[in-house]
Amino acid sequence: MAHALIFDSGVGGLSVSAEIRTCLLDLQQTYIADDQFRPYGEKSDAALKARLPALLWTLCETVKPDIAVIACNTASTSALSEIRAVLKIPVIGVVPAIKPAAKYTQTGRFAVLGTPSTVRQKYVDKLIQEFAPTQTIIRHGSTKLVSLAEDKLAGRPVNLDALTAEIAPLFIDPKVDSVVLACTHFPLLIDELSAVAPAGISWIDSGQAIARRVKSVIASLRKFGPPRPGPDIALLIGPNADEPRKSAFLAYGFERVVGLVPHKGFESKVERRHQDK
Ligand code: DGL
């Protein structure tokens, strides 16, 4: 069986990892949380394009996965082609679930809730033009929800008043009947979101679609051999591998959680490799 690298700025990718685990129990997962650079949603495209290809290249050279899953809407919508250009393995990104939401909505009005970076991306404009040209869509960017999801998985209580205030702009139009969760952190708050939102709202994310895509790419690799060639390990970049956070990764099926500090100059190393090609 194969080995996948699952990448996000923090715990958000766990919502994708869990879906992948459900349909590919034998897949080995190495999870990377780039805590040092979170929140991605507040960074410029230039900053993400400068960091992510170099970081992913360094990680893949070390971890040697068969595929990489960029389990982050912000990284995928801003830097996926740059990441693909430096990796030699299949790379699967996350696409905001605008197409399924456009099919689902009964009122023709839905919201896209992502990070500030994701909701302003041209890629999202294109998805809307292609799949929801006649619908009315409210776009809302939130970094607060990312930190509330991090709080929850670090064992801290989620501030429901803050959550209510944060999502209020989505429901100014009472006809909005569904919300695209266009950040992988947000499905981790689904119980809290459902508790504070107006009744009857549907929440749509890409987790299951990504898991299906991973399954079909893994099948095409035709990697046979023992199930799970090694343990599932989570590597947390920066000084955030404290006990409550470690417990969250263990609860999502990771066997070991390790803090990691990337060596200085990894960006210039990947640049040199590219110039040598
Ligand atoms: N989980 C990430 C996403 O899907 C972003 C969180 C962040 O802002 O770092 O967009």
Side-chain angles (χ1 to χ4, degrees):
M1 237 300 180
H3 177 190
L5 183 137
I6 316 287
F7 181 86
D8 181 44
S9 65
V11 296
L14 287 173
S15 65
V16 177
S17 158
E19 296 289 358
I20 295 172
R21 208 182 285 287
T22 303
C23 64
L24 283 167
L25 204 56
D26 290 343
L27 178 71
Q28 181 188 350
Q29 294 191 17
T30 297
Y31 190 102
I32 314 283
D34 187 11
D35 293 323
Q36 203 175 47
F37 208 60
R38 194 179 60 253
Y40 280 10
E42 298 285 333
K43 304 292 187 304
S44 67
D45 284 8
L48 293 168
K49 285 181 207 285
R51 180 177 180 85
L52 296 181
L55 179 58
L56 264 306
W57 180 84
T58 306
L59 292 166
C60 288
E61 286 291 302
T62 313
V63 171
K64 306 268 181 231
D66 302 300
I67 65 163
V69 180
I70 310 303
C72 173
N73 289 262
T74 310
S76 301
T77 54
S78 64
L80 195 62
S81 47
E82 288 79 3
I83 295 169
R84 284 200 168 121
V86 299
L87 300 186
K88 301 176 203 92
I89 53 174
V91 179
I92 297 169
V94 182
V95 175
I98 288 168
K99 186 178 176 184
K103 281 195 187 149
Y104 175 85
T105 180
Q106 300 291 303
T107 59
R109 287 161 196 253
F110 65 90
V112 176
L113 179 61
T115 65
S117 165
T118 297
V119 296
R120 67 165 184 259
Q121 289 294 332
K122 287 206 175 66
Y123 184 70
V124 171
D125 297 343
K126 275 197 217 145
L127 289 175
I128 292 173
Q129 272 157 25
E130 189 173 352
F131 299 114
T134 57
Q135 276 100 347
T136 302
I137 295 161
I138 294 175
R139 298 194 203 191
H140 183 59
S142 172
T143 299
K144 183 71 191 169
L145 288 189
V146 174
S147 62
L148 292 177
E150 290 286 337
D151 280 349
K152 179 175 175 179
L153 270 75
R156 294 186 288 272
V158 175
N159 182 334
L160 292 182
D161 291 337
L163 185 66
T164 310
E166 200 59 24
I167 63 169
L170 306 180
F171 306 114
I172 287 171
D173 178 347
K175 287 204 171 142
V176 164
D177 64 354
S178 39
V179 178
V180 175
L181 297 178
C183 169
T184 54
H185 277 75
F186 301 168
L188 302 172
L189 292 171
I190 193 70
D191 293 341
E192 292 80 2
L193 286 166
S194 304
V196 302
I201 294 292
S202 297
W203 309 92
I204 303 172
D205 71 74
S206 318
Q208 288 181 2
I210 300 303
R212 283 195 298 274
R213 177 86 192 113
V214 171
K215 195 172 180 182
S216 93
V217 172
I218 296 282
S220 72
L221 295 178
R222 301 178 64 77
K223 286 223 46 157
F224 303 111
R228 293 226 268 145
D232 286 359
I233 298 178
L235 303 170
L236 313 187
I237 299 176
N240 285 313
D242 57 8
E243 284 314 314
R245 217 150 175 273
K246 278 188 180 175
S247 308
F249 284 93
L250 297 177
Y252 273 82
F254 289 88
E255 290 146 75
R256 280 197 358 239
V257 188
V258 179
L260 188 80
V261 180
H263 60 81
K264 282 204 174 72
F266 69 86
E267 291 99 337
S268 52
K269 189 173 170 197
V270 76
E271 251 166 47
R272 273 204 311 279
R273 281 282 299 227
H274 265 265
Q275 281 157 9
D276 291 349
K277 270 190 192 168

